[in-house]
Amino acid sequence: MEQHARYAINKGANADELWGGIPVAVFMGDDVQLPPVCDTPVYISDCRSAPSNHGRLVWTMFDSAVELTQIIRQNESEQQLRDVLMSLRNYMTTPQQIHWLQQFQRHNLRMSHGPELLARMDEQALYVFPTHHLEWQRNKTKLLECNRQPNHPVAKIKAVDNGRHAVKADSNKAGGLLPLLYLCRDSKVMLVVNLKADWGLYNGAVGTVIDILYKDGRRPSDDPAPLPGVVLVRFPG
């Protein structure tokens, strides 16, 4: 469940009061979405850990709620999709809705729109996968396609974890950084931070790697594999 908090300025804030005496508005997402990772939702009374129970006590201090009923992100042209998603949520999908969904399967799209549409989808669409394994299989396939072109070697970039305090951590504990990253020219990459929104460099922006530069004439095929000096990425606009 995604939660966003907005804080109002209060000069008389008291450190002994909940939230320091500052008025807080919490904007909730859809509470039928997936629960928090390795935690329990705030609306479940039997929590597994002391911090979760403390969070629930804080949550119970909110004394008012407003339900927003107007749908903003989806317009009337998406009414059918909206109805199908609601029926999936409630386990009330009809045969007609299932038939409508089936027309978007790849082999049906090929028959109705031809291979050109699938080719554009393959290059431009954003794919969402339920597991990291399926995500990697997709990325590996696209890397190998790029690698078939001349002068497109795949760079195998291994995280450096030297130093007294260095620890080997998985991606979830390292701010999304991968212990082993594969890149080559024409690879698609996504920003995960807001660098400069005015330039379109925001979280979620997708760019294309146009070159990978190494210092002192090194190459990605060297052993051990060197870290690149610069990775150049082109973003639309």
Side-chain angles (χ1 to χ4, degrees), residues 45-80:
S45 58
D46 185 17
C47 298
R48 292 191 295 265
S49 63
S52 295
N53 283 314
H54 180 71
R56 177 168 172 77
L57 289 175
V58 173
W59 180 256
T60 57
M61 298 298 293
F62 290 100
D63 55 7
S64 59
V66 177
E67 181 182 0
L68 305 179
T69 58
Q70 182 181 0
I71 298 176
I72 301 298
R73 296 179 62 185
Q74 298 172 337
N75 55 37
E76 293 302 320
S77 65
E78 298 168 321
Q79 177 71 42
Q80 192 165 11

Side-chain angles (χ1 to χ4, degrees), residues 83-110:
D83 293 342
V84 170
L85 294 177
M86 289 296 294
S87 69
L88 289 171
R89 166 193 290 181
N90 299 324
Y91 302 98
M92 298 178 62
T93 310
T94 65
Q96 292 78 12
Q97 290 173 327
I98 293 175
H99 180 73
W100 182 79
L101 280 175
Q102 287 175 334
Q103 67 178 318
F104 300 108
Q105 292 177 323
R106 287 187 67 90
H107 65 278
N108 288 331
L109 286 175
R110 181 183 295 274

Side-chain angles (χ1 to χ4, degrees), residues 139-149 151-157 181-189 207-212 214 220 228 231-233:
N139 289 338
K140 181 180 178 180
T141 299
K142 300 303 292 184
L143 280 171
L144 292 176
E145 289 179 4
C146 295
N147 185 239
R148 294 191 185 102
Q149 305 178 39
N151 301 320
H152 278 56
V154 175
K156 182 178 180 181
I157 305 171
L181 177 66
Y182 295 90
L183 282 180
C184 71
R185 291 180 186 174
D186 294 340
S187 299
K188 296 292 182 64
V189 295
T208 304
V209 176
I210 60 174
D211 211 347
I212 304 174
Y214 290 85
V231 177
L232 301 177
V233 182

